[in-house]
Amino acid sequence: MAFSLAASLSRQSKFALSRHSSRILPMTTILQPPPRCFSSTVVSPSTENDDNNNNNFDNFYDVTIVGGGVVGSSLAHLINRRMPSLKVAVLESRECAPSQPSIDRVPHPRSYALSPASLQVLGDSVVSRLPLGHYDSMQVWQAKSPSVLTFTARDLDADPSKATYLGACCEDQPIVATLWEELMKSPSTERITNARLKSLQTGHPSALAMAELEDGTEIQTPVMIGADGGNSWVRKSSGISKIGGDYEQSALTFTVSLRDSMTRRAFQRYLDDGGPMALLPTFSSNHAVVVWSAIPEVLARWKDAPEEDFVAYLNECLQEGPQRVPSLLEGTVGNSSGSGILTNLVYGTERVLDTLHYGLAMASQHPDPTFQVPPRIEGVVSPKFTFPLSCYQSTSYTKGRVALVGDAAHTVHPMAGQGLNLGLGDVATLVSCLEKAHRAGMDLSSFLHEYDSNRHRSVSISLGGIHTLQRMFRAQNVPVQHIKTFGMNMIQNVGPLRRQLAVAAAHGIAL
Amino acid sequence: MVQSIVSRGRPCQRPFRRPIVSFATLGDNNKNWYNNQRSSYCRYNTATLSSFYSSSSFSTANASAYSSSSSVSPLEVNKFSNMSQSWWDPQQNPLISMNAIRMEYIQQQMIQFKKEQEDMEQTNTGEDNSNDRDDSNTTSSFGTVSTHSLPLNGFKALDVGCGGGLLSESLARLGAHVTAIDPSMELVQQAQQHARLHPVTSTNIMYRGGCTVEQLAQEAKENSFETNEESNNHLFDIICLLEVIEHVTDVESILQATESLLKPNTGRLFISTLNRTVASHLVAIVGAEYVFRYLPPGTHNWDQFQSPEELHHTMTNLSNNNTTTTTMLRPLHTSGMVMTALPPIWNWKLDLHNTGINWIGTYQRTRKQ
Ligand SMILES: Cc1cc2nc3c(=O)[nH]c(=O)nc-3n(C[C@H](O)[C@H](O)[C@H](O)COP(=O)(O)OP(=O)(O)OC[C@H]3O[C@@H](n4cnc5c(N)ncnc54)[C@H](O)[C@@H]3O)c2cc1C
């Protein structure tokens, strides 16, 4: 509808120019304040502009971002704050700008655990308006193991006065809506909804990247960003392939009401059948979001189970404290030759190292490792969402003048809560590479290859770590159980190491 | 004249205003290029540079000037022309990463200079010696942002040995009106093509291929002689001789020409080159050209490298031997440029104390003592 209206407009006036804001309006709808849609500001055609010179900068943007989801709009917002003179276009396929959720809602289960570094990327003007559920510590424990890991804000920063919290949870919708509101205030940012992209040229040092919309508009840009999610059209159109695989697990998320309120602590427990179950704070103190990963059969069993049974099961899982490890002799280790022991030792050492490296994707050392029982769940108060877990990563994050960020570049298991932290880490790195070129007055694509090499490496490590951790916690046999415990205890007790790991985790990168 | 046809310095209401002047109008005037360009740099936004240069009379003039110039070695010109394909590829041209800190240095120096000027103006409010700077908000007004926030706004800059236009584009995007010259025609053609990729660089750079700084100085001299003009308007606020002097045969000639184009006292000349040390030989020649092959072998000749002191010495000699001028070049500041990371991420930083390999300096044209 809006699309065809816009298309017919574009025939009359190829590019409508609003004099006041000097905005160029391609035929797609330009947004007025949300939640109104389709309110196209149409201005008279430009006459002065039509000399027949082919060097036309009417549809030129310094940075063009395809996808205005949480990562794409964070990127636009950060560019705006750091380089306000740049003209930025955000092309979003959704029909209207995201709107704020109602105030008296139950927290939505699609929530992110944001590290302080991620909150910094979003910026104070956005964060101050977000409904956040802060937490100062995160408690990680597992079935059949006596150890408990507790990470605190102090693990992030050696200076205790600076370390105020470990992280904060927030729903997807208010983050995106607030970011879009901020973008609307910026005169140099064009937010284009209902964008239908047809073709793309990645460009090279001597040719701009180009995106063609279905109505024929050709957008020219020195830097084109693919922020269009896991099924990225930009990635595919640029001919960048992805590698990785699906876990045999899915995640189930929903909101629960609590009998007692949350006490600024997030909880994550590895269940006996492998999957981690997390209880995360929300802006409402007597609600929490549960993110539970497990094999699809298990989730299917519970998805439609009677609520009473389900709540009872959840409480059973989360209320159970640390346990004794089953005896080693019952297991399969060390029952044959010396070389078997050696193998196990090598294997064990490897696992411990893995744990040391990645176990902490979630947290850190604290003088108070005492177990705290999570608040009791009273009921499930939202629909349950299931989504498959996958671990894909693009083989390269850049091609020509195209760069990928967020889920377009990599999808991860949300167990470690790193999905968005990694995406916002991309944003921070990419913006510094753009800034380096911008400060020197250079072609903005000059340092994109640095984004690729910096980011591709650190995300690979993170993904590898999450993958390993995932496999490890799913292992059923006893020796691995021991090794896990050993690893976790080591992490708990080796201070500096924990701190380093926590810092890495908080910044969305592994070591 | 062109001036009467085009509107001068009209503030740009809309971003990316296109040139209005046709090729035919320019054709009549292009013989006296210097005269035209000096009257107002604002005109850059009204002339399509590509069509400007494609006029035949211009290129013939270039060709003859090139053969008579003294400081340029034809071999060097060929060497760089052959590199023109990879010029804009950040993974192939190490100058791209180096350019970021060259620009940092130039901006530092110019910002400090602006500050000194302002302080001076405050203390002696009588005379205003910056009136030849064109501060109008013209073509470089990009989007909704005024050029006044740009660090090099209003400066007239000359990029000597512009190559593929790397530095020229930087200077232009940061607000300067740039004249860019290079003895190589191929490279300048490439530079012009690349400059068309951006609204600011496509209007604020005047490129001239097959042109040496000596030739430009000669034209300027003849011109000011003809018009008997005293003012400094045709001279430059910023002249860049970056990564150039290690490739020329006659440094004195190039310095002399450059000096004559620089505004006395207020103008700033930037020179960067490689120092003549064991380290520079190892890094720039053995390492970069032969071991790691970042640069084609033969890119550099160590004997043409110079230390800051050697260059200063050359300038002093020049001033002593040349009795016809009343001015001389004086060093103001020097800094080293140090590579901090190896490819694929070239990374550089400024380091005041380490001028052993790459260095950059600021010079001023002053009255002889
Ligand atoms: C149901 C669900 C629940 C999740 N829960 C969690 C969780 O609890 N914790 C966690 O850490 N992570 C979670 N994730 C993952 C997390 O949402 C992603 O990591 C995050 O959204 C990535 O943001 P993004 O901006 O890269 O992509 P997206 O949020 O997917 O945004 C992509 C945007 O691009 C737009 N778009 C797509 N194609 C085009 C196109 N061709 N042209 C123009 N625009 C286009 C889309 O409309 C969308 O707005 C969840 C994901 C889903 C789907």
Side-chain angles (χ1 to χ4, degrees):
Chain A
M1 232 301 274
F3 180 63
S4 59
L5 167 84
S8 66
L9 282 171
S10 75
R11 243 169 275 131
Q12 307 161 10
S13 57
K14 201 159 155 219
F15 313 107
L17 270 175
S18 140
R19 246 188 95 80
H20 174 63
S21 62
S22 296
R23 299 265 199 99
I24 296 148
L25 172 73
M27 55 312 332
T28 28
T29 323
I30 287 212
L31 284 171
Q32 294 295 300
R36 282 180 50 192
C37 309
F38 315 133
S39 48
S40 42
T41 322
V42 180
V43 206
S44 58
S46 69
T47 45
E48 202 187 349
N49 197 39
D50 286 332
D51 59 4
N52 42 7
N53 200 308
N54 52 3
N55 225 2
N56 194 322
F57 289 112
D58 277 348
N59 280 333
F60 176 94
Y61 295 94
D62 290 298
V63 181
T64 304
I65 301 170
V66 180
V70 60
V71 174
S73 43
S74 303
L75 175 64
H77 182 50
L78 189 60
I79 291 177
N80 241 298
R81 275 153 57 213
R82 300 262 285 268
M83 297 168 274
S85 64
L86 293 188
K87 260 185 78 156
V88 178
V90 180
L91 304 174
E92 167 57 53
S93 57
R94 276 180 287 185
E95 288 201 335
C96 18
S99 55
Q100 292 285 4
S102 71
I103 297 176
D104 52 358
R105 70 187 182 277
V106 161
H108 194 279
R110 187 169 177 181
S111 295
Y112 307 113
L114 295 160
S115 66
S118 292
L119 291 169
Q120 223 165 13
V121 171
L122 293 175
D124 287 343
S125 63
V126 169
V127 172
S128 63
R129 286 156 57 199
L130 292 179
L132 297 174
H134 283 101
Y135 51 93
D136 304 323
S137 59
M138 182 182 263
Q139 172 177 307
V140 183
W141 76 112
Q142 56 182 322
K144 292 186 192 145
S145 160
S147 55
V148 180
L149 270 173
T150 312
F151 297 90
T152 68
R154 252 173 283 176
D155 293 311
L156 292 182
D157 208 316
D159 176 3
S161 63
K162 278 202 218 147
T164 48
Y165 57 91
L166 182 64
C169 287
C170 188
E171 305 146 89
D172 180 82
Q173 195 185 352
I175 305 181
V176 182
T178 310
L179 282 165
W180 275 63
E181 285 164 13
E182 285 295 305
L183 291 182
M184 206 182 58
K185 294 184 200 155
S186 144
S188 55
T189 304
E190 201 84 76
R191 309 163 315 144
I192 299 161
T193 46
N194 207 15
R196 299 277 172 266
L197 285 128
K198 195 166 106 191
S199 69
L200 179 146
Q201 283 166 24
T202 56
H204 52 79
S206 320
L208 295 177
M210 207 261 297
E212 192 189 357
L213 304 188
E214 270 179 3
D215 54 26
T217 318
E218 289 183 358
I219 289 176
Q220 295 199 313
T221 185
V223 175
M224 169 103 63
I225 307 295
D228 49 349
N231 197 20
S232 171
W233 175 85
V234 173
R235 181 177 52 70
K236 285 181 274 184
S237 309
S238 307
I240 301 174
S241 51
K242 61 176 184 178
I243 46 168
D246 290 309
Y247 295 104
E248 300 106 64
Q249 288 203 344
S250 296
L252 189 68
T253 76
F254 46 88
T255 309
V256 293
S257 58
L258 307 170
R259 186 190 291 166
D260 313 305
S261 50
M262 290 286 270
T263 52
R264 292 179 74 98
R265 178 171 280 205
F267 301 91
Q268 179 143 327
R269 184 174 196 226
Y270 290 92
L271 303 182
D272 205 7
D273 57 4
M277 182 184 281
L279 189 72
L280 303 170
T282 66
F283 66 88
S284 153
S285 64
N286 42 14
H287 288 98
V289 164
V290 174
V291 186
W292 178 24
S293 323
I295 51 174
E297 295 84 77
V298 174
L299 296 182
R301 191 160 71 230
W302 286 109
K303 200 173 177 199
D304 303 315
E307 189 181 322
E308 246 169 72
D309 297 357
F310 187 46
V311 169
Y313 177 69
L314 293 176
N315 279 324
E316 189 186 310
C317 292
L318 289 168
Q319 305 275 308
E320 197 175 57
Q323 298 162 321
R324 245 179 52 81
V325 183
S327 159
L328 194 64
L329 292 175
E330 291 162 22
T332 49
V333 178
N335 52 2
S336 54
S337 65
S339 73
I341 291 172
L342 190 64
T343 315
N344 283 324
L345 205 64
V346 171
Y347 177 80
T349 313
E350 276 171 13
R351 290 313 100 181
V352 168
L353 288 176
D354 279 340
T355 317
L356 286 176
H357 274 86
Y358 308 119
L360 282 243
M362 293 134 281
S364 85
Q365 158 196 24
H366 190 242
D368 171 32
T370 49
F371 181 77
Q372 189 177 318
V373 183
R376 211 173 171 82
I377 294 171
E378 285 202 315
V380 176
V381 292
S382 79
K384 302 190 192 85
F385 296 93
T386 331
F387 56 101
L389 300 175
S390 56
C391 179
Y392 286 106
Q393 140 133 300
S394 301
T395 47
S396 164
Y397 285 8
T398 57
K399 182 154 181 189
R401 291 171 177 272
V402 169
L404 305 175
V405 291
D407 277 15
H410 46 72
T411 56
V412 295
H413 191 289
M415 160 182 106
Q418 291 213 27
L420 192 53
N421 290 335
L422 276 185
L424 295 179
D426 297 344
V427 168
T429 307
L430 180 61
V431 168
S432 3
C433 292
L434 295 176
E435 213 177 9
K436 184 170 167 188
H438 179 65
R439 262 203 316 264
M442 297 168 73
D443 187 317
L444 282 179
S445 70
S446 299
F447 302 107
L448 281 188
H449 62 286
E450 294 189 7
Y451 166 69
D452 182 42
S453 35
N454 282 338
R455 216 42 213 166
H456 198 258
R457 193 161 20 114
S458 48
V459 175
S460 300
I461 295 170
S462 279
L463 290 188
I466 294 169
H467 213 86
T468 310
L469 201 66
Q470 172 63 17
R471 279 205 313 271
M472 224 178 90
F473 279 110
R474 272 175 47 204
Q476 296 282 338
N477 59 359
V478 179
V480 177
Q481 213 55 265
H482 270 279
I483 290 154
K484 282 195 293 194
T485 305
F486 176 56
M488 285 180 77
N489 283 331
M490 261 186 77
I491 295 164
Q492 183 65 45
N493 295 321
V494 184
L497 193 76
R498 292 177 50 114
R499 177 161 297 130
Q500 229 180 339
L501 289 166
V503 169
H507 289 78
I509 52 162
L511 299 174
Chain B
M1 290 291 299
V2 174
Q3 197 166 355
S4 59
I5 312 162
V6 300
S7 55
R8 285 194 56 189
R10 188 163 53 119
C12 184
Q13 303 286 353
R14 295 176 22 219
F16 330 141
R17 185 151 50 89
R18 298 302 314 152
I20 306 162
V21 175
S22 73
F23 165 66
T25 354
L26 282 167
D28 300 332
N29 296 290
N30 64 9
K31 281 175 211 139
N32 202 347
W33 172 81
Y34 208 85
N35 196 26
N36 288 339
Q37 70 101 28
R38 137 184 130 174
S39 49
S40 163
Y41 270 72
C42 304
R43 197 170 306 109
Y44 281 1
N45 58 345
T46 60
T48 315
L49 295 170
S50 49
S51 60
F52 195 101
Y53 286 119
S54 58
S55 81
S56 55
S57 61
F58 204 99
S59 27
T60 342
N62 287 337
S64 56
Y66 165 46
S67 53
S68 68
S69 83
S70 58
S71 67
V72 174
S73 131
L75 244 162
E76 292 279 335
V77 176
N78 279 338
K79 201 152 76 185
F80 284 101
S81 296
N82 290 337
M83 284 170 71
S84 67
Q85 286 314 309
S86 53
W87 193 274
W88 282 102
D89 186 342
Q91 315 243 40
Q92 289 191 48
N93 183 356
L95 282 182
I96 291 183
S97 58
M98 191 198 223
N99 193 52
I101 57 153
R102 300 193 309 199
M103 286 315 297
E104 184 186 329
Y105 181 80
I106 292 173
Q107 289 181 75
Q108 266 176 20
Q109 293 295 312
M110 293 316 288
I111 286 166
Q112 191 189 331
F113 162 72
K114 269 188 185 172
K115 218 180 136 267
E116 283 166 13
Q117 285 255 306
E118 277 163 21
D119 292 351
M120 241 168 63
E121 272 165 37
Q122 265 173 5
T123 48
N124 87 61
T125 37
E127 228 170 313
D128 179 7
N129 53 3
S130 67
N131 60 355
D132 44 8
R133 268 184 48 203
D134 166 25
D135 262 352
S136 66
N137 201 5
T138 57
T139 41
S140 18
S141 88
F142 178 44
T144 49
V145 176
S146 118
T147 53
H148 292 282
S149 60
L150 295 171
L152 303 183
N153 178 42
F155 287 120
K156 279 202 299 197
L158 172 65
D159 181 6
V160 179
C162 66
L166 194 60
L167 180 77
S168 317
E169 288 196 9
S170 285
L171 293 167
R173 282 206 191 84
L174 295 176
H177 293 292
V178 184
T179 301
I181 61 171
D182 197 285
S184 161
M185 275 290 189
E186 280 105 320
L187 275 177
V188 168
Q189 269 161 14
Q190 244 224 327
Q192 283 173 315
Q193 228 172 40
H194 194 270
R196 270 177 234 138
L197 299 184
H198 192 273
V200 171
T201 56
S202 68
T203 51
N204 277 12
I205 308 172
M206 172 77 88
Y207 277 112
R208 246 183 109 170
C211 175
T212 64
V213 66
E214 287 91 337
Q215 182 194 346
L216 204 65
Q218 184 63 27
E219 285 175 26
K221 198 168 147 197
E222 285 165 8
N223 231 306
S224 64
F225 189 70
E226 262 171 39
T227 54
N228 204 5
E229 223 178 304
E230 290 287 299
S231 94
N232 283 336
N233 283 2
H234 62 294
L235 300 179
F236 292 93
D237 301 296
I238 297 173
I239 301 184
C240 295
L241 262 178
L242 305 192
E243 271 64 56
V244 168
I245 59 169
E246 66 271 26
H247 300 288
V248 301
T249 48
D250 185 348
V251 177
E252 292 199 4
S253 152
I254 207 168
L255 286 177
Q256 200 171 357
T258 307
E259 183 189 332
S260 74
L261 290 166
L262 188 66
K263 275 187 192 163
N265 301 318
T266 61
R268 291 290 178 273
L269 167 65
F270 296 98
I271 298 181
S272 68
T273 189
L274 286 136
N275 202 336
R276 199 142 59 103
T277 59
V278 177
S280 71
H281 192 265
L282 282 174
V283 172
I285 296 180
V286 179
E289 293 177 18
Y290 292 93
V291 181
F292 295 108
R293 304 270 163 146
Y294 303 141
L295 296 172
T299 303
H300 286 119
N301 177 358
W302 187 70
D303 291 331
Q304 287 175 302
F305 293 0
Q306 296 208 39
S307 69
E309 296 73 29
E310 280 171 320
L311 190 64
H312 186 197
H313 187 71
T314 312
M315 288 172 177
T316 316
N317 274 352
L318 191 65
S319 144
N320 292 341
N321 299 342
N322 189 346
T323 47
T324 57
T325 66
T326 54
T327 60
M328 64 177 291
L329 291 172
R330 187 171 71 93
L332 293 176
H333 186 268
T334 315
S335 172
M337 297 191 284
V338 184
M339 200 193 278
T340 56
L342 284 180
I345 301 179
W346 306 81
N347 224 337
W348 295 77
K349 68 171 195 230
L350 294 171
D351 182 343
L352 286 180
H353 307 292
N354 189 349
T355 54
I357 302 173
N358 291 85
W359 63 272
I360 183 165
T362 316
Y363 300 84
Q364 181 189 28
R365 180 183 180 189
T366 56
R367 196 160 289 281
K368 280 182 187 167
Q369 283 95 1

